[in-house]
Each structure stands twice: as C-alpha cells, then as structure tokens.
C-alpha cells in the first residue's frame, strides 16, 4: 500500500500532540479498582479527525508510551494503535469520530481485550466483563472530549490542510451529531460521577461492617479466653486449699470440668510431672495408667511449675488425650498459702471449636470468613470455605497493586496476582493473637461491573433515542431553509415553484419553541419537587443517624454513656477546662461484692441493681457537662469538669452513703438487698495530663486502696497545685 507524502506541518503537530498525550497518560485518572481514564488518548482522536490515519497512528504510539511507562504492558500499542488507524480511515469515509469509536470498541476493541486478558494476563474470568466494558466507556469519554475540543477551539476547526469531507454534510446531520455528542458526554460524566459516589459509599459501608465484625469477634474471643484463664486461676487457688489431700483433687477437677465444658480435657500433675487426676476420666485407659503419663516436656508444665505463672500456650497438636489442635492453659498450685512450695499444676485444653460456633453465628454477614492466629502466626481457626489447615502458618500478601479502593486488600490463594482476593480487617487480642475477617473482593467488583454495564446500556439506549429525536428535530429546523433555497433555485419555476416565505412563516419553529419552553418549566417543577423530596429525605436520614449515634454511644442496660463515648469526650472536656483553668475529677466506681448479688439473687437482680445504681448516679451527677458512663461490668466512670476541690469528696461520699441506704428488690423473688460501692478518684487541674489513661490509673489505684481498706470507701487524690 502506497503511503501518502509527508506533510511536515502535520508531522510536527502529530509529534507535539503525541508528547502531550504521553505526559497526560503518565498520570491516568483513577476511578475504582483497575479502572483508569486515559484522557491522553484525546490527542489521538484529534489527530485522526484532522490529519488522517498515519499521523494519528504516530500520535497514538507516542501517547501510548505514557501508558507503557505506567502500566508496563505492551498491549496499549496494539489496542490504541489500531484505534487510531480505524478512526483515521473512518474519518476519510465521512464517519463521525464518536460513531466510529463506538463501532471500533464493539467490533474490534472489546474482542481483542477479551482475548488478551484471557490468554495473556493472570486475571480471573469473573473480572472479564468489568475489564472489557470499562475500555468501551473509556473510549467514548476521550472521543467525546476530542470532538468537543475540535468544535470549541477555532484553530482546530480551521486547521490548515485538514482532512476534507468527501461530500458536503447536511446541516441536519451536523446538528444531529452535535446534539448526540453533547448528550453522550453529559450522560457519560453523570453516570461516572454517580457510579463513583455509589461505589465510594459501598466501600465505606463495607469497611464499617467488616470493622464492626472483627471488633465483635475479637471481643468474643477475648472474653472466651479471659474467662477460661480465670477458671484455671481459680482452680489453682482451690487446689492450694486442699493440696495436702490428693484424694480431693479428682472430684474437684471433675466438678470443675462439668461446670466449664469449654475445656476439652483437664488434668492435674504432681511435681514429678505425672498426671494425678484428669477429666474426663474416659479419655484415660485406666486410673493406674494415669500415673505413667509424664508431661515434663510440655510447655504448659514447664512454664507453670518452674516459672510460677498462669500460662497460655500457642496452638499445638494434642497428645495423650486426643489429637485435636488445642490451646493449653495451666497454673501452679501450692502446698501453703504463701506459695513457697509448688504442689503441682492444673491444666485445661481449650476447645477451639468455640470459634467455629462464633463464626457460624456471625451476625454481620454470611459471606464473611474468619481466620484466627496465635502470636506465632499459626492458624488457630479458619472458616471452612477458606481451605486453611489448623496449625499451619497463615500466609498472605497485602495487595498494593493497581486496584484502587478505600479498603485493605490481601491475597491468599494467589499471592502473586495483581487481582485482590479479599477485603480484610484485623484486630489483635491482649495475648498476642489476631483475628482476621475476610470478605471476597469479587462481589464488590461484580457490583461495579453491573453499575458500569447498566450505565453503558442506558447510555446506548439514550444515544439511540437522542439520535432519532435529534435527526427529526434537525429536519424540522432545516425545512424553512430548504424552502427558502427552493424559492431561488433555477428548477423552482412555474407550477413547481414553492410559495414564498416571510419572517412569520416558520410556525413549526415557533411551535417547537413553545413546547420546549413548556417542557423546561415541567422539568424545573419536577426538579423543585425532587429537591424538596431530597431535602425531606435528607432531614429524615439525619434524624435517623442522630438516633443511631445515640444508640451506639449508650449502654443498652443502664442507659448511661459507654466507655467509647467517655474516652472520646475526654479531650473536649479537657480543652473546655484548660480555657478556664479549671479542675477535673475522674472517678472509677466499683460495686462491692456484685458477684454475690448475681449468685444469691439471680442475674435479673444484678441487672436491676445496675439500673438503679445508674439512676442514682444520674441524680447526683446531673450537670450537662458531667459524663456518667458504664466502664464495663460493675465498673462505672465519672468525668466531672469544673470541679470544686473543696466539696467533691463530700459529694462523692454523699452519693456512696445514699447508695448504702438504698434498698433494692429482686425482680424474681421480691427479696430485698443492699449494695455498697468503692470509689477511687483524682481531682486535678486540666493541665495535669492529656492522657486519660494516666487519670484512670490514679483513680484505679485509689479504688484498689478503697477495696483494701474494707470497701464502701472513697479514696481521692486532690492535686490542684
């Protein structure tokens, strides 16, 4: 094929356009996931319309180099080079750029992208629809922009030696194309903006949900572990009491195990590391063989017996009493109350199936998976659908690839893939374990694909409707001009001559104007109505959000603020008191012998006690600036700004005495009971410390002192100097 002669002006201009496109394409606009708008290709379309295929091809090669630098993928030269040639030859056949580009992507571009992604790139087939559809939308965007730039910039419209039309275009076709172009660009940007904010909101909701889920599961796991650690510690204390009577060990252990089935098995070992008692006994062959089992090599024996501490092991494979993956909790017990001589250790093997139960009852989402690892990154528990084995290392790769999201992404099955597999959140427990919540990334990408496809489909429908209406409208607008031209046409003579047209003749145009005006008014009225509806719905949403925020900040049992709210408000109170150089009192209150109330009167009585206690707190500390919160269990936290240091201790004691005199009634059996409270507090100037933990530490120490002094006491430090 014979190439055309080189036009130096065209060559220079195409190189300038290509360099500009290269620079723009070095910074593609991120949208979502791996969607990037390559607006630098706008210059390729301009070159194709003005100068034809080969200059456009040169421009495309230069502009695509920017994408090659950014993406490191040579496919850009193929896709956009072919696009430049196609648009250039379509221009020579008088096909408008927007129509030509739509044909290119539907017929050539999308199939090529599909084949390339399928056979060259390591991307799951579920992503193909999203990847291919985004290319077509991207092409329509920069083609529309290029066409508008040519119309808007006079130097481009009157470009010297540009490609000429084979046939002079009719005004109706030009108007139709212009209207179609404007509607296309408007709809494209409207759809993209809507999809952007929709996906942003979906990501925010997903992030909130997954963070809530991991917090819920971590709290549940922490409580489960801490509760059983307490059981082991209490068991060791009980065994210390009967250490000189080994016959009591087995019954005590069996009763304890029956009360706490969370342990798969429990055992007691003597100083020689021989098992003296075990539960359930059925796991042992016989009581005589029990003493032949030696555990002197087990970490839980070594750590508890020799280091004299409560020990929680990493996850390991059980031996002797079963082959389950277990966590051992052990504590020493002694022959005397002074803990000078170790009589043995008590150990419990914690049931890890509890975490499967928590996972199955996860209230946040059924499509979430759970992974729990210990401090050595060994898998304690993983949801079955992940296919991860207990005791194996949890291996994953944080995905920081080309996919743009507001979420944290990881890969497990395919670590080297650029496509993220899971959205995740994690939280560490006090003992070094970590809880992970995983949610597949593909549903979010599928949602984005559906949004992109629906937008593209709506765009095509709108384009067809716009094309049809624009064509009819353009024809109506050009009829008066054709009639005027016919009046002066040499062929318009005799009986074929059309009637003359004056300034009042275009009734169709005037009628159309009236209709458009009426339609515009209807649209304005509809828009006003929509704005009123949006404003009303926004107000309702704000009201609902306010109520939801109040629910989040409140303790459901007592109605007081919760710990999170109190910690969040502390800095505001601190700033408030710093401005006026005032003192703050932070007090920690703990109900005395609250466990006895639950044990003797039932948990309903305990709940009623907490509610009455909260009501009394609100009665005594009722200023708007006082923060009264439930800190956890039977502990409560007071933060009292603008404190009078001379009266605060008296006020706290007045509350304490009022509580001691208050008679409470059990809801179940109507028995009366009383409760007292121990109070630890600190009153200091606001500049004492900006760290709430430091205030609470002093208050906690004072609370401990109040407990040591016999409870129902108030101990306060006043440091206002």
């Amino acid at each position: 094929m014979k190439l055309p002669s080189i036009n130096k002006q065209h060559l220079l201009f195409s190189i300038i356009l290509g360099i500009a496109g290269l620079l723009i394409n070095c910074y593609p606009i991120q949208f979502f996931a791996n969607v990037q708008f390559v607006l630098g290709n706008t210059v390729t379309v301009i070159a194709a319309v003005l100068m034809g295929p080969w200059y456009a091809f040169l421009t495309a090669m230069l502009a695509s180099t920017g994408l090659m630098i950014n993406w490191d993928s040579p496919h850009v030269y193929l896709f956009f080079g072919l696009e430049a040639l196609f648009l250039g030859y379509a221009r020579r056949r008088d096909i408008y750029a927007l129509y030509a580009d739509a044909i290119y992507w539907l017929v050539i571009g999308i199939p090529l992208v599909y084949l390339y992604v399928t056979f060259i790139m390591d991307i799951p087939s579920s992503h193909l629809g999203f990847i291919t559809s985004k290319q077509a939308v991207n092409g329509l965007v920069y083609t529309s922009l290029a066409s508008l730039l040519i119309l808007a910039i006079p130097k481009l419209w009157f470009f010297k030696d540009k490609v000429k039309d084979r046939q002079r275009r009719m005004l109706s076709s030009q108007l139709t194309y212009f209207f179609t172009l404007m509607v296309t660009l408007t709809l494209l940007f409207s759809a993209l903006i809507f999809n952007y904010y929709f996906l942003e909101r979906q990501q925010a909701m997903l992030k909130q949900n997954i963070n809530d889920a991991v917090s819920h599961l971590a709290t549940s796991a922490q409580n489960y572990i801490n509760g059983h650690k307490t059981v082991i510690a209490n068991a060791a204390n009980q065994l210390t009491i009967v250490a000189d009577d080994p016959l009591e060990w087995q019954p005590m252990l069996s009763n304890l195990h029956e009360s706490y089935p969370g342990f798969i098995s429990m055992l007691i070992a003597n100083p020689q590391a021989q098992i003296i008692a075990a539960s359930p006994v059925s796991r042992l062959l016989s009581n005589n063989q029990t003493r032949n089992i030696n555990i002197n090599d087990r970490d839980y024996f070594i750590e508890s017996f020799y280091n004299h501490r409560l020990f929680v092991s990493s996850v390991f494979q059980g031996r002797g009493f079963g082959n389950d993956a277990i966590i051992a909790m052990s504590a020493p017990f002694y022959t005397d109350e002074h803990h000078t001589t170790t009589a043995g250790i008590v150990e419990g093997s914690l049931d890890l199936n509890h975490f499967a139960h928590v996972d199955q009852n996860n209230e946040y989402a059924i499509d979430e998976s759970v992974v729990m690892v210990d401090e050595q990154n060994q898998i304690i528990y993983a949801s079955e659908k992940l296919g991860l084995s207990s005791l194996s290392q949890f291996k994953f790769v944080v995905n920081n690839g080309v996919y743009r999201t507001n979420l944290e992404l990881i890969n497990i099955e395919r670590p080297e893939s650029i496509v993220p597999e899971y959205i995740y959140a994690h939280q560490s427990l006090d003992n070094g374990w970590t809880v992970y919540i995983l949610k597949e990334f593909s549903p979010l990408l599928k949602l984005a694909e559906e949004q992109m496809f629906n937008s593209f489909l709506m765009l095509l429908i709108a384009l067809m409707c716009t094309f049809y209406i624009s064509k009819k409208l353009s024809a109506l607008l050009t009829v008066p001009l054709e009639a005027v031209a016919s009046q002066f046409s040499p062929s318009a003579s005799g009986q074929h001559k059309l009637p003359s047209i004056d300034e009042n003749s275009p009734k169709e145009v005037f009628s159309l104007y009236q209709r458009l005006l009426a339609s515009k008014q209807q649209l304005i009225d509809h828009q006003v109505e929509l704005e009123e509806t949006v404003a009303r719905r926004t107000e309702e949403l704000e009201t609902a959000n306010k109520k939801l925020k109040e629910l989040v900040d409140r303790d459901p049992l007592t109605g007081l603020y919760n710990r999170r709210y109190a910690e969040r408000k502390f800095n505001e109170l601190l700033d408030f008191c710093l401005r006026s150089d005032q003192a703050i009192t932070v007090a920690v209150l703990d109900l005395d012998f609250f466990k006895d109330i639950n044990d003797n009167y039932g948990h309903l009585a305990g709940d009623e006690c907490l509610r009455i206690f909260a009501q009394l707190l609100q009665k005594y500390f009722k200023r708007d600036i006082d923060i009264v919160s439930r800190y956890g269990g039977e502990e409560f936290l007071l933060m009292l700004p603008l404190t009078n240091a001379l009266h605060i201790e008296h006020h706290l004691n007045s509350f304490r005495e009022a509580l001691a005199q208050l008679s409470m009634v059990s809801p179940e059996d109507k028995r009366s009971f009383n409760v007292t409270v121990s109070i630890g507090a600190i009153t200091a100037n606001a500049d004492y410390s900006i760290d709430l933990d430091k205030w609470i530490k002093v208050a906690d120490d004072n609370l401990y002192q109040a407990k040591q002094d016999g409870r129902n006491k108030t101990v306060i430090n006043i440091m206002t100097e």
Side-chain angles (χ1 to χ4, degrees), residues 10-26:
H10 286 186
L11 180 62
L12 178 61
F13 188 58
S14 63
I15 292 174
I16 293 173
L17 288 177
I19 294 174
L22 185 153
L23 296 175
I24 297 172
N25 279 341
C26 284

Side-chain angles (χ1 to χ4, degrees), residues 283-300:
R283 284 183 177 250
L284 303 173
L285 296 177
S286 69
N287 288 334
N288 292 331
Q289 290 187 357
T290 304
R291 304 180 185 278
N292 296 327
I293 299 177
N294 194 284
I295 57 171
N296 60 359
D297 62 334
R298 315 291 173 87
D299 288 343
Y300 60 80

Side-chain angles (χ1 to χ4, degrees), residues 371 373 376-379 388-389 392-398 410-415 421-422 436 438:
V371 177
V373 300
Q376 298 178 3
N377 204 38
Q378 291 185 107
I379 295 176
L388 302 177
S389 302
S392 63
Q393 289 290 310
F394 181 44
K395 298 179 181 179
F396 64 89
V397 175
V398 176
I410 60 171
N411 288 44
I412 297 177
E413 290 87 5
R414 305 170 67 193
E421 296 172 347
Y422 296 99
Y436 294 86
L438 309 181

Side-chain angles (χ1 to χ4, degrees), residues 250-283:
Q250 181 62 56
M252 181 181 294
L253 188 67
S254 298
N255 291 335
L256 182 64
H257 191 199
E258 183 178 351
S259 300
Y260 295 96
F263 291 111
I264 296 176
S265 63
M266 301 185 73
L267 60 85
I268 298 173
N270 62 15
Q272 289 75 39
Q274 291 179 330
I275 297 177
I276 303 303
S279 179
V281 179
S282 59
R283 284 183 177 250

Side-chain angles (χ1 to χ4, degrees), residues 33-231:
N34 62 339
V35 177
Q36 296 178 328
F37 291 110
V38 288
L39 298 184
N41 285 2
T42 302
V43 299
T44 300
V45 181
I46 294 175
V49 172
L50 298 181
M51 297 176 291
W54 295 108
Y55 295 103
F57 182 79
L58 174 60
T59 302
M61 293 298 100
L62 291 173
S64 298
T65 302
L67 298 175
M68 180 64 186
I69 294 172
N70 201 338
W71 295 346
D72 192 25
S73 181
H75 75 276
V76 295
Y77 293 113
L78 173 64
F79 296 160
F80 300 127
L82 287 176
E83 181 185 29
L85 292 174
F86 188 88
L87 292 179
Y89 282 110
R91 174 67 185 90
R92 288 185 174 180
R93 294 184 175 275
D94 295 343
I95 301 175
Y96 284 112
L98 181 62
Y99 304 153
D101 199 69
I103 294 171
Y104 169 78
W105 284 108
L106 287 174
V107 177
I108 301 175
I110 289 180
L112 279 178
V113 172
Y114 181 87
L115 292 174
Y116 179 83
V117 172
T118 301
F119 295 103
I120 304 299
M121 299 186 70
D122 183 23
I123 292 179
S125 59
S126 58
H127 294 216
L128 288 176
F130 181 71
I131 293 173
T132 53
S133 61
K134 73 171 185 178
Q135 298 293 346
V137 173
N138 197 14
L140 292 178
V141 169
Y142 57 70
T143 302
S144 300
L145 281 175
S147 300
L148 280 179
L149 286 174
I150 293 173
L151 292 174
I153 301 176
K155 287 187 178 181
L156 295 180
W157 182 250
F158 299 102
F159 186 79
K160 185 179 180 181
D161 296 330
K162 70 176 183 179
V163 176
K164 305 295 182 182
D165 295 327
R166 288 186 173 186
Q167 297 179 351
R168 187 174 296 276
R169 300 181 188 271
M170 296 180 64
L171 178 60
S172 60
S173 64
Q174 292 179 337
L175 289 174
T176 299
Y177 179 67
F178 178 78
F179 289 147
T180 304
L181 188 64
M182 290 297 297
V183 172
T184 299
L185 199 58
T186 302
L187 290 177
L188 271 173
F189 276 103
S190 299
L192 291 173
I193 292 172
F194 170 80
N195 290 338
Y196 175 82
Y197 285 107
F198 174 83
L199 291 172
E200 286 288 309
R201 183 176 180 184
Q202 290 296 316
Q203 291 178 79
M205 291 174 61
L206 277 174
K207 191 171 185 178
Q208 181 64 42
N209 289 341
I210 200 169
N211 285 335
D212 288 345
V214 77
S215 178
H216 169 76
L217 292 176
T219 301
S220 176
Q222 188 70 65
N223 292 339
Y224 183 71
I225 294 167
N226 289 343
H228 286 82
K229 285 171 63 178
T230 302
V231 171

Side-chain angles (χ1 to χ4, degrees), residues 178 325 380 501 698:
F178 178 78
I380 299 172
I501 298 178
V698 177

Side-chain angles (χ1 to χ4, degrees), residues 687-701:
D687 58 0
Y688 171 69
S689 176
I690 62 172
D691 186 1
L692 176 59
D693 290 339
K694 186 173 180 180
W695 294 74
I696 293 178
K697 175 64 169 59
V698 177
D700 268 336
D701 291 343

